[in-house]
Amino acid sequence: MRGPNGGAAARGVVAGPAGAAAGFARVTPSNRYTTAVGVRTNYNHWDIYGGRWYTDHPGAWFAAGWATGAAWRAASWASVGAWMDYYPTTPMYYDYGNNITYENNNVYVDGQDAGTTEQYYAQATELAKSGATAKAPSDGDWLPLGVFALTKNRQTNAIVTIQLAVNKQGVIRGNYTDTKTGKTMVIQGAVDKKTQQVAFTVGDNQSNLIETGLYNLTKDEAPALVHIGDGKTEQYLLVRLKNKDQDSADADSSPTS
């Protein structure tokens, strides 16, 4: 991957605005897989997002009409593509540090300049905001995207669990649960139907947001960015959790490098 003027794209954790970490380090598929195996081995909150859990958490987001355990269903690109009317569009994989890189305060997506880090953050913020303000009743049509543990590479004890769903307009809803404290906050965001970028906020905090790709969310391990305001970005991994006691479907687990 090359930056402007043929320069090598940044590797590792690099300086962003005001010296903050931009977090565009390349992580190999094997490293993601190894981290994910450890996370799944250590995970012990399989009762979350079930019927009784929602009864005990009345403020959590839930799609009316979903059967018990539906939140755990994984989505494949075939199901998402049909749901979002993407075909024959090619899926876009957001692999931070590989096809999405950082150099000289600019972000590059597949070699194309996507603007400064500030502009990239502003665009992701507007995307998340568009979903947060959209009229998207919980009794509408929602496709489960599954349940994920949020962690950093090589960290195998995740304390955050995320559940996501998308409607046909590309609005994202779900829940962000701190399994250490038991606190759950509602997720609100959207999919950019052109770029397939996903961005969402958690609870009332509108300055911090999580970004990934829609295709990423059909994988067992999904690279993600956490934007902490416009001054810092950290790289994370969404690890799909498959609950044998809940109703789930197989995600697209084909390797992506």
Side-chain angles (χ1 to χ4, degrees):
M1 182 73 184
R2 310 298 291 181
N5 303 318
R11 289 292 183 264
V13 178
V14 295
F24 288 69
R26 186 177 189 276
V27 180
T28 65
S30 61
N31 282 342
R32 287 195 290 262
Y33 175 78
T34 300
T35 299
V37 168
V39 167
R40 295 186 188 106
T41 299
N42 294 329
Y43 192 80
N44 192 32
H45 302 280
W46 301 108
D47 59 335
I48 200 170
Y49 308 138
R52 183 170 181 176
W53 184 90
Y54 282 106
T55 300
D56 294 339
H57 296 79
W61 183 87
F62 180 74
W66 275 8
T68 299
W72 287 84
R73 291 179 188 165
S76 66
W77 181 248
S79 63
V80 170
W83 182 260
M84 300 284 291
D85 195 25
Y86 268 132
Y87 289 119
T89 303
T90 301
M92 166 69 178
Y93 189 66
Y94 279 71
D95 192 357
Y96 306 99
N98 187 4
N99 69 333
I100 301 179
T101 55
Y102 171 97
E103 184 179 358
N104 296 330
N105 201 40
N106 276 48
V107 177
Y108 295 85
V109 179
D110 280 340
Q112 301 299 312
D113 190 345
T116 65
T117 54
E118 293 91 344
Q119 291 169 331
Y120 189 79
Y121 166 78
Q123 178 272 327
T125 299
E126 285 302 310
L127 177 60
K129 183 178 179 180
S130 71
T133 57
K135 293 183 179 179
S138 61
D139 60 353
D141 292 330
W142 292 92
L143 177 71
L145 294 173
V147 176
F148 302 85
L150 180 67
T151 189
K152 287 188 175 182
N153 188 46
R154 302 184 188 278
Q155 293 185 4
T156 58
N157 290 294
I159 64 170
V160 172
T161 306
I162 287 176
Q163 172 264 319
L164 296 170
V166 63
N167 70 8
K168 291 188 176 182
Q169 290 70 48
V171 176
I172 295 287
R173 290 290 185 270
N175 295 294
Y176 175 107
T177 300
D178 184 325
T179 52
K180 188 174 182 179
T181 65
K183 183 178 180 180
T184 293
M185 293 177 284
V186 173
I187 284 170
Q188 299 182 101
V191 181
D192 184 318
K193 285 198 170 185
K194 181 179 180 180
T195 65
Q196 301 173 27
Q197 181 189 35
V198 173
F200 55 86
T201 55
V202 176
D204 295 328
N205 189 326
Q206 300 300 303
S207 61
N208 297 350
L209 60 111
I210 298 174
E211 172 203 332
T212 187
L214 185 59
Y215 183 52
N216 294 36
L217 297 176
T218 68
K219 297 293 184 179
D220 285 343
E221 295 86 39
L225 289 181
V226 175
H227 296 271
I228 305 171
D230 63 355
K232 186 176 182 181
T233 303
E234 295 183 353
Q235 195 164 333
Y236 275 76
L237 182 67
L238 288 165
V239 176
R240 181 177 300 286
L241 299 170
K242 298 180 181 180
N243 192 337
K244 64 181 183 298
D245 296 325
Q246 302 285 2
D247 187 6
S248 62
D250 289 334
D252 181 355
S253 58
S254 58
T256 303
S257 58

